[in-house]
Amino acid sequence: MSETVSTSGAAPAAPYGGTRPNAEQKRKKVTVTRLAQMRADGEKIAVLTAYDATFAAFADSAGVDCVLVGDSLGMVCQGRSSTVSVSLEEMRYHTQCVAQGLERHGSTALLIADLPYGTFHQSREQAFASAVVLMQAGAQMIKLEGGGWTVEIVAFLTERGIPVCAHLGLTPQTVAALGGYKVQGRQADEARQMKADALALEAAGASLLVLEMVPAELATSITSQMKSCATIGIGAGSGTAGQVLVMHDMLGMNLGRMAKFVRNFMQGSSSIEGAFAAYVAAVKDGSFPNNEQHAW
Ligand code: KIV
Protein backbone atom coordinates (compact mmCIF):
# COMPACT_ATOMS: atom_id res chain seq x y z
CA MET A 1 0.00 0.00 0.00
CA SER A 2 1.55 3.34 -0.97
CA GLU A 3 0.85 6.51 0.92
CA THR A 4 0.11 9.75 -0.95
CA VAL A 5 3.27 11.84 -1.27
CA SER A 6 2.87 15.31 0.18
CA THR A 7 4.21 18.29 -1.76
CA SER A 8 3.11 20.86 0.82
CA GLY A 9 5.12 19.70 3.80
CA ALA A 10 1.90 18.52 5.43
CA ALA A 11 1.56 14.97 6.65
CA PRO A 12 0.80 12.54 3.84
CA ALA A 13 -2.77 11.35 3.56
CA ALA A 14 -3.05 7.74 4.54
CA PRO A 15 -6.07 5.47 4.46
CA TYR A 16 -7.45 3.47 7.38
CA GLY A 17 -6.79 5.81 10.25
CA GLY A 18 -3.96 7.82 8.75
CA THR A 19 -0.56 8.76 10.03
CA ARG A 20 -0.23 11.55 12.55
CA PRO A 21 2.37 14.20 11.76
CA ASN A 22 5.29 14.13 14.12
CA ALA A 23 3.85 16.74 16.45
CA GLU A 24 6.51 18.66 18.33
CA GLN A 25 6.90 16.68 21.51
CA LYS A 26 6.72 19.44 24.07
CA ARG A 27 5.47 17.09 26.76
CA LYS A 28 7.91 14.91 28.61
CA LYS A 29 7.70 11.16 28.07
CA VAL A 30 5.74 9.68 30.97
CA THR A 31 7.82 7.16 32.92
CA VAL A 32 7.53 5.82 36.46
CA THR A 33 10.02 8.49 37.53
CA ARG A 34 7.94 11.20 35.89
CA LEU A 35 4.77 9.91 37.60
CA ALA A 36 6.53 10.09 40.98
CA GLN A 37 7.63 13.64 40.17
CA MET A 38 4.10 14.64 39.15
CA ARG A 39 2.79 13.24 42.44
CA ALA A 40 5.46 15.11 44.40
CA ASP A 41 4.76 18.36 42.51
CA GLY A 42 1.00 18.02 42.98
CA GLU A 43 0.40 17.79 39.23
CA LYS A 44 -2.72 15.69 38.73
CA ILE A 45 -2.30 12.54 36.64
CA ALA A 46 -4.86 11.95 33.87
CA VAL A 47 -5.46 8.30 33.01
CA LEU A 48 -7.90 7.05 30.38
CA THR A 49 -8.69 3.58 29.07
CA ALA A 50 -8.21 2.69 25.40
CA TYR A 51 -8.39 -0.63 23.65
CA ASP A 52 -7.18 0.05 20.11
CA ALA A 53 -4.46 1.95 18.25
CA THR A 54 -6.43 4.96 17.00
CA PHE A 55 -8.23 5.86 20.22
CA ALA A 56 -4.96 5.41 22.13
CA ALA A 57 -3.11 7.79 19.77
CA PHE A 58 -5.87 10.40 20.06
CA ALA A 59 -5.87 10.09 23.86
CA ASP A 60 -2.12 10.56 23.86
CA SER A 61 -2.18 13.62 21.63
CA ALA A 62 -4.88 15.12 23.86
CA GLY A 63 -2.40 14.97 26.74
CA VAL A 64 -3.47 11.85 28.63
CA ASP A 65 -0.58 10.79 30.91
CA CYS A 66 -1.33 7.06 31.05
CA VAL A 67 -3.38 4.91 28.71
CA LEU A 68 -4.90 1.93 30.49
CA VAL A 69 -5.83 -1.19 28.57
CA GLY A 70 -8.39 -2.19 31.17
CA ASP A 71 -10.10 -5.53 31.34
CA SER A 72 -13.23 -3.33 31.18
CA LEU A 73 -12.77 -4.17 27.50
CA GLY A 74 -14.76 -7.31 28.32
CA MET A 75 -17.79 -5.11 28.92
CA VAL A 76 -17.33 -2.15 26.54
CA CYS A 77 -15.77 -3.98 23.57
CA GLN A 78 -16.96 -7.55 23.93
CA GLY A 79 -20.41 -6.96 25.41
CA ARG A 80 -19.92 -9.25 28.38
CA SER A 81 -21.75 -8.59 31.63
CA SER A 82 -18.58 -8.50 33.73
CA THR A 83 -14.79 -8.49 33.35
CA VAL A 84 -14.40 -11.97 34.83
CA SER A 85 -14.12 -13.95 31.59
CA VAL A 86 -11.54 -11.73 29.86
CA SER A 87 -8.54 -13.89 28.95
CA LEU A 88 -4.83 -13.17 29.00
CA GLU A 89 -4.71 -13.65 25.22
CA GLU A 90 -7.44 -11.03 24.75
CA MET A 91 -5.51 -8.62 26.99
CA ARG A 92 -2.30 -9.37 25.07
CA TYR A 93 -4.01 -8.64 21.74
CA HIS A 94 -5.51 -5.30 22.83
CA THR A 95 -2.29 -4.28 24.61
CA GLN A 96 -0.36 -4.92 21.40
CA CYS A 97 -2.89 -2.88 19.36
CA VAL A 98 -2.59 0.07 21.75
CA ALA A 99 1.20 -0.21 21.97
CA GLN A 100 1.50 -0.16 18.19
CA GLY A 101 -0.81 2.86 17.95
CA LEU A 102 1.20 4.74 20.55
CA GLU A 103 4.57 3.79 19.10
CA ARG A 104 3.61 4.65 15.53
CA HIS A 105 2.57 8.13 16.60
CA GLY A 106 5.60 8.84 18.79
CA SER A 107 3.51 9.00 21.93
CA THR A 108 4.26 10.39 25.37
CA ALA A 109 1.77 8.39 27.44
CA LEU A 110 2.71 5.43 29.63
CA LEU A 111 0.91 2.20 28.74
CA ILE A 112 -0.66 0.22 31.60
CA ALA A 113 -2.32 -3.16 31.05
CA ASP A 114 -4.61 -5.12 33.36
CA LEU A 115 -3.86 -8.66 34.47
CA PRO A 116 -7.22 -10.39 33.97
CA TYR A 117 -9.02 -12.60 36.49
CA GLY A 118 -7.38 -15.96 37.15
CA THR A 119 -3.99 -15.04 35.66
CA PHE A 120 -2.25 -14.03 38.92
CA HIS A 121 -4.27 -15.69 41.68
CA GLN A 122 -2.49 -19.04 41.91
CA SER A 123 1.10 -18.02 42.63
CA ARG A 124 3.69 -15.28 42.28
CA GLU A 125 5.22 -17.30 39.44
CA GLN A 126 1.91 -17.41 37.58
CA ALA A 127 1.56 -13.64 38.05
CA PHE A 128 5.09 -13.06 36.73
CA ALA A 129 4.52 -15.27 33.65
CA SER A 130 1.23 -13.45 32.88
CA ALA A 131 2.82 -10.02 33.40
CA VAL A 132 5.66 -10.93 31.02
CA VAL A 133 3.11 -11.69 28.28
CA LEU A 134 1.65 -8.17 28.62
CA MET A 135 5.06 -6.47 28.96
CA GLN A 136 6.24 -8.23 25.80
CA ALA A 137 3.08 -6.99 24.06
CA GLY A 138 4.16 -3.41 24.88
CA ALA A 139 2.82 -2.66 28.38
CA GLN A 140 5.06 -0.46 30.54
CA MET A 141 3.20 -1.13 33.78
CA ILE A 142 0.91 -3.94 34.95
CA LYS A 143 -2.28 -3.37 36.94
CA LEU A 144 -3.72 -5.98 39.26
CA GLU A 145 -6.77 -5.94 41.49
CA GLY A 146 -6.85 -7.03 45.11
CA GLY A 147 -5.98 -6.30 48.72
CA GLY A 148 -3.43 -7.69 51.15
CA TRP A 149 -3.04 -11.05 49.44
CA THR A 150 -1.56 -9.30 46.36
CA VAL A 151 1.26 -7.64 48.34
CA GLU A 152 3.69 -10.51 47.87
CA ILE A 153 2.83 -10.66 44.16
CA VAL A 154 3.48 -6.92 43.78
CA ALA A 155 6.86 -7.32 45.53
CA PHE A 156 7.74 -10.29 43.31
CA LEU A 157 6.94 -8.32 40.13
CA THR A 158 8.59 -5.04 41.14
CA GLU A 159 11.76 -6.85 42.32
CA ARG A 160 11.93 -8.27 38.80
CA GLY A 161 11.61 -4.89 37.12
CA ILE A 162 7.91 -4.82 36.34
CA PRO A 163 6.23 -1.55 37.39
CA VAL A 164 2.90 -2.19 39.11
CA CYS A 165 -0.37 -0.34 39.56
CA ALA A 166 -2.42 -1.84 42.41
CA HIS A 167 -6.22 -1.53 42.64
CA LEU A 168 -8.32 -1.35 45.84
CA GLY A 169 -11.93 -0.53 46.69
CA LEU A 170 -14.46 -1.81 44.21
CA THR A 171 -12.54 -4.47 42.33
CA PRO A 172 -14.75 -5.48 39.36
CA GLN A 173 -13.13 -8.93 38.99
CA THR A 174 -14.57 -9.89 42.40
CA VAL A 175 -17.90 -8.09 42.05
CA ALA A 176 -19.77 -11.35 42.78
CA ALA A 177 -18.11 -11.64 46.19
CA LEU A 178 -18.68 -7.92 46.89
CA GLY A 179 -22.41 -8.29 46.17
CA GLY A 180 -22.51 -5.74 43.34
CA TYR A 181 -20.97 -2.45 42.23
CA LYS A 182 -21.09 -0.78 45.64
CA VAL A 183 -19.00 1.81 47.44
CA GLN A 184 -16.25 0.13 49.47
CA GLY A 185 -14.67 1.25 52.75
CA ARG A 186 -17.69 2.88 54.36
CA GLN A 187 -17.34 0.94 57.60
CA ALA A 188 -14.51 1.85 59.98
CA ASP A 189 -12.97 -1.65 59.90
CA GLU A 190 -13.09 -1.77 56.07
CA ALA A 191 -11.49 1.68 55.89
CA ARG A 192 -8.75 0.64 58.32
CA GLN A 193 -8.04 -2.48 56.27
CA MET A 194 -7.92 -0.49 53.02
CA LYS A 195 -5.42 1.98 54.49
CA ALA A 196 -3.24 -0.88 55.74
CA ASP A 197 -3.39 -2.60 52.34
CA ALA A 198 -2.52 0.65 50.55
CA LEU A 199 0.56 1.18 52.71
CA ALA A 200 1.65 -2.44 52.27
CA LEU A 201 1.22 -2.23 48.49
CA GLU A 202 3.30 0.94 48.42
CA ALA A 203 6.00 -0.73 50.53
CA ALA A 204 5.94 -3.67 48.07
CA GLY A 205 6.83 -1.21 45.29
CA ALA A 206 3.52 -0.25 43.64
CA SER A 207 3.98 2.98 41.65
CA LEU A 208 0.26 3.70 41.26
CA LEU A 209 -2.83 2.70 43.22
CA VAL A 210 -6.32 2.84 41.72
CA LEU A 211 -9.00 3.56 44.33
CA GLU A 212 -12.41 2.73 42.88
CA MET A 213 -15.74 3.71 44.46
CA VAL A 214 -14.25 4.73 47.78
CA PRO A 215 -15.59 7.58 49.97
CA ALA A 216 -13.69 10.81 49.21
CA GLU A 217 -12.53 11.21 52.80
CA LEU A 218 -10.95 7.77 52.83
CA ALA A 219 -9.33 8.21 49.39
CA THR A 220 -7.94 11.60 50.46
CA SER A 221 -6.62 10.17 53.70
CA ILE A 222 -4.92 7.25 51.91
CA THR A 223 -3.45 9.70 49.37
CA SER A 224 -1.97 11.85 52.13
CA GLN A 225 -0.31 8.83 53.75
CA MET A 226 1.42 7.67 50.56
CA LYS A 227 5.09 8.64 50.27
CA SER A 228 5.86 7.56 46.73
CA CYS A 229 2.83 5.81 45.28
CA ALA A 230 0.32 8.00 43.39
CA THR A 231 -3.37 7.29 43.97
CA ILE A 232 -5.66 7.34 40.94
CA GLY A 233 -9.33 7.72 41.76
CA ILE A 234 -12.47 6.58 39.99
CA GLY A 235 -15.58 7.46 41.94
CA ALA A 236 -13.33 8.39 44.85
CA GLY A 237 -13.62 12.19 44.95
CA SER A 238 -11.09 14.83 44.00
CA GLY A 239 -8.45 14.25 46.69
CA THR A 240 -6.44 11.62 44.82
CA ALA A 241 -3.23 12.26 42.87
CA GLY A 242 -4.99 11.52 39.59
CA GLN A 243 -8.17 10.26 37.96
CA VAL A 244 -9.11 7.46 35.59
CA LEU A 245 -12.26 6.91 33.52
CA VAL A 246 -13.39 4.28 31.06
CA MET A 247 -13.23 5.97 27.64
CA HIS A 248 -16.70 4.88 26.49
CA ASP A 249 -18.27 6.28 29.67
CA MET A 250 -16.66 9.71 29.37
CA LEU A 251 -17.74 9.87 25.72
CA GLY A 252 -21.33 9.28 26.88
CA MET A 253 -21.40 5.83 25.26
CA ASN A 254 -22.96 3.76 28.01
CA LEU A 255 -25.79 1.39 27.09
CA GLY A 256 -27.09 1.21 30.65
CA ARG A 257 -27.37 3.71 33.45
CA MET A 258 -24.27 5.90 33.67
CA ALA A 259 -22.44 5.70 36.99
CA LYS A 260 -22.93 8.87 39.03
CA PHE A 261 -19.19 9.54 39.17
CA VAL A 262 -18.82 9.79 35.37
CA ARG A 263 -18.91 13.07 33.44
CA ASN A 264 -19.86 13.05 29.76
CA PHE A 265 -17.05 15.08 28.18
CA MET A 266 -18.68 14.99 24.73
CA GLN A 267 -21.11 17.57 26.05
CA GLY A 268 -19.53 20.84 25.05
CA SER A 269 -16.94 19.19 22.76
CA SER A 270 -17.24 18.97 19.00
CA SER A 271 -14.91 15.99 18.55
CA ILE A 272 -13.65 12.96 20.42
CA GLU A 273 -10.18 14.49 20.62
CA GLY A 274 -11.80 17.63 22.07
CA ALA A 275 -13.57 15.50 24.70
CA PHE A 276 -10.27 13.82 25.61
CA ALA A 277 -8.57 17.23 25.89
CA ALA A 278 -11.44 18.56 28.04
CA TYR A 279 -11.05 15.54 30.35
CA VAL A 280 -7.29 16.10 30.69
CA ALA A 281 -7.80 19.81 31.39
CA ALA A 282 -10.51 19.11 34.00
CA VAL A 283 -8.35 16.50 35.77
CA LYS A 284 -5.31 18.79 35.74
CA ASP A 285 -7.13 21.85 37.07
CA GLY A 286 -9.03 19.80 39.65
CA SER A 287 -12.50 20.60 38.26
CA PHE A 288 -13.17 16.90 37.62
CA PRO A 289 -14.60 15.32 39.65
CA ASN A 290 -16.81 17.96 41.23
CA ASN A 291 -19.05 17.49 44.27
CA GLU A 292 -21.74 15.79 42.18
CA GLN A 293 -19.45 13.28 40.47
CA HIS A 294 -19.05 10.71 43.19
CA ALA A 295 -20.02 7.12 43.85
CA TRP A 296 -21.93 7.51 47.10
O1 KIV B 1 -10.61 -2.23 33.70
C1 KIV B 1 -10.60 -1.00 33.84
O2 KIV B 1 -10.86 -0.23 32.91
C2 KIV B 1 -10.26 -0.47 35.14
C3 KIV B 1 -10.48 1.00 35.40
C4 KIV B 1 -11.92 1.28 35.55
C5 KIV B 1 -9.70 1.48 36.55
O3 KIV B 1 -9.83 -1.19 36.00
Side-chain angles (χ1 to χ4, degrees):
M1 191 194 315
S2 63
E3 288 185 348
T4 311
V5 176
S6 165
T7 50
S8 65
Y16 316 132
T19 306
R20 299 213 128 215
N22 276 336
E24 320 136 60
Q25 292 288 326
K26 290 210 185 95
R27 287 184 295 136
K28 288 194 185 127
K29 191 104 187 137
V30 180
T31 60
V32 286
T33 320
R34 171 100 188 100
L35 288 173
Q37 193 58 51
M38 289 168 77
R39 191 203 74 91
D41 294 346
E43 179 183 346
K44 297 269 184 185
I45 300 166
V47 184
L48 188 63
T49 69
Y51 315 96
D52 73 18
T54 306
F55 278 106
F58 272 88
D60 175 71
S61 61
V64 162
D65 298 305
C66 304
V67 172
L68 167 66
V69 184
D71 62 356
S72 50
L73 70 84
M75 296 168 87
V76 297
C77 299
Q78 298 171 331
R80 292 167 171 166
S81 60
S82 83
T83 61
V84 173
S85 51
V86 174
S87 70
L88 185 61
E89 171 50 23
E90 289 164 348
M91 287 305 303
R92 187 205 63 76
Y93 171 76
H94 284 277
T95 300
Q96 190 175 58
C97 294
V98 166
Q100 284 168 182
L102 292 177
E103 195 188 308
R104 186 170 159 209
H105 299 295
S107 82
T108 315
L110 182 104
L111 172 48
I112 309 172
D114 249 338
L115 277 182
Y117 187 63
T119 67
F120 59 97
H121 300 67
Q122 281 170 359
S123 64
R124 304 177 307 180
E125 288 74 14
Q126 184 207 23
F128 180 69
S130 301
V132 167
V133 170
L134 299 185
M135 294 295 283
Q136 289 179 343
Q140 293 160 319
M141 183 179 290
I142 297 301
K143 180 165 86 60
L144 55 90
E145 294 181 10
W149 68 273
T150 65
V151 170
E152 65 160 21
I153 296 173
V154 172
F156 196 77
L157 298 185
T158 55
E159 281 160 7
R160 282 155 186 76
I162 299 182
V164 173
C165 172
H167 185 153
L168 293 173
L170 187 280
T171 45
Q173 292 175 2
T174 51
V175 70
L178 297 174
Y181 294 92
K182 297 177 185 160
V183 174
Q184 303 295 310
R186 277 193 203 275
Q187 307 304 325
D189 56 336
E190 288 172 4
R192 224 175 293 118
Q193 185 62 56
M194 204 183 296
K195 276 185 191 174
D197 288 348
L199 290 172
L201 288 162
E202 176 178 60
S207 303
L208 298 180
L209 168 62
V210 168
L211 293 173
E212 180 162 358
M213 293 183 74
V214 171
E217 249 177 47
L218 175 58
T220 305
S221 162
I222 290 175
T223 301
S224 68
Q225 288 179 30
M226 301 271 108
K227 294 193 176 57
S228 57
C229 177
T231 55
I232 307 294
I234 171 164
S238 58
T240 49
Q243 298 289 329
V244 58
L245 280 179
V246 167
M247 178 189 77
H248 293 65
D249 287 347
M250 56 79 76
L251 292 177
M253 299 176 71
N254 186 302
L255 299 173
R257 201 160 48 90
M258 192 73 88
K260 225 168 120 191
F261 58 77
V262 174
R263 184 186 298 175
N264 179 352
F265 283 91
M266 273 310 280
Q267 282 172 0
S269 303
S270 58
S271 66
I272 287 174
E273 201 168 12
F276 289 168
Y279 167 67
V280 173
V283 170
K284 298 275 176 196
D285 70 15
S287 58
F288 176 77
N290 61 22
N291 290 339
E292 280 144 37
Q293 276 129 14
H294 55 73
W296 49 93

